[in-house]
């Protein structure tokens, strides 16, 4: 994916209860059970704050490197990077402090690579969604205050 084509960094949630700590492998399995090719997100942030890779993403990939378009926001996947926070059951932003810090660091890093990309929640691009349960645009606009939700 060419960094100049990245229009969105999209934040999602897994819609899982607080006691369920899953990662990219479990989401990959769930998505395959739905008949999809596999995990739709490029990154998953576990409850512990550990950032796991989902679909391969290599901005400005050299020939021979694999980059796979995400499958996380209808009609915009070719221009979006998807990040999934574990948790957020029923639209409640119950993310851990470690997750909030990791989200901040990951988005900050991705913005250095794709500075023109807008940081949004899934709900900002799909009016039928409530994910991730907080106003991502406001969170990023107030980036002097770390945290999600």
């Amino acid at each position: 994916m060419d960094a100049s084509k990245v229009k969105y960094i999209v934040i999602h949630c897994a819609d899982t209860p607080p006691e369920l700590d899953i990662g990219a492998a479990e989401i990959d399995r769930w998505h395959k059970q739905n008949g999809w090719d596999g995990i739709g997100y490029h990154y998953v942030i576990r409850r512990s704050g550990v950032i796991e890779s989902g679909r391969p993403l290599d901005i400005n990939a050299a020939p021979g490197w694999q980059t796979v378009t995400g499958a996380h926001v209808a009609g915009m996947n070719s221009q979006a990077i998807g990040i999934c926070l574990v948790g957020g059951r029923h639209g409640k932003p119950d993310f851990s402090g470690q997750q909030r810090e990791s989200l901040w660091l990951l988005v900050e890093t991705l913005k250095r690579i794709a500075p023109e990309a807008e940081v949004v929640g899934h709900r900002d691009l799909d009016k039928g969604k409530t994910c991730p349960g907080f106003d991502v645009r406001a969170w990023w606009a107030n980036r002097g205050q770390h945290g999600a939700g």
Side-chain angles (χ1 to χ4, degrees):
M1 180 181 301
D2 183 331
S4 68
K5 294 183 178 160
V6 177
K7 292 185 180 179
Y8 304 104
I9 297 169
V10 186
I11 313 305
H12 300 265
C13 69
D15 192 24
T16 53
E19 65 276 3
L20 185 61
D21 183 26
I22 60 163
E26 290 85 1
I27 293 173
D28 183 62
R29 188 169 46 255
W30 294 348
H31 286 185
K32 285 178 178 174
Q33 288 170 351
N34 283 336
W36 305 337
D37 290 337
I39 189 168
Y41 312 110
H42 295 100
Y43 299 99
V44 173
I45 303 177
R46 296 183 73 118
R47 290 277 183 191
S48 65
V50 170
I51 299 169
E52 296 181 349
S53 294
R55 288 201 175 197
L57 176 68
D58 186 14
I59 302 292
N60 298 320
W65 286 63
Q66 183 181 18
T67 295
V68 179
T69 300
H72 56 93
V73 60
M76 298 182 196
N77 289 311
S78 65
Q79 53 194 330
I81 297 171
I83 301 170
C84 181
L85 291 161
V86 173
R89 185 69 169 179
H90 303 301
K92 295 180 181 162
D94 59 356
F95 310 113
S96 72
Q98 295 95 331
Q99 283 178 293
R100 292 189 298 268
E101 185 65 23
S102 292
L103 178 63
W104 168 261
L105 294 171
L106 179 56
V107 171
E108 190 177 56
T109 299
L110 292 171
K111 282 291 285 179
R112 285 190 200 122
I113 297 165
E116 300 303 316
E118 184 179 359
V119 181
V120 298
H122 189 189
R123 69 186 195 173
D124 297 317
L125 301 177
D126 184 338
K127 298 305 175 197
K129 304 291 182 184
T130 60
C131 163
F134 67 97
D135 185 341
V136 172
R137 285 182 169 134
W139 168 78
W140 186 248
N142 296 313
R143 55 191 174 269
Q145 300 173 9
H146 291 235

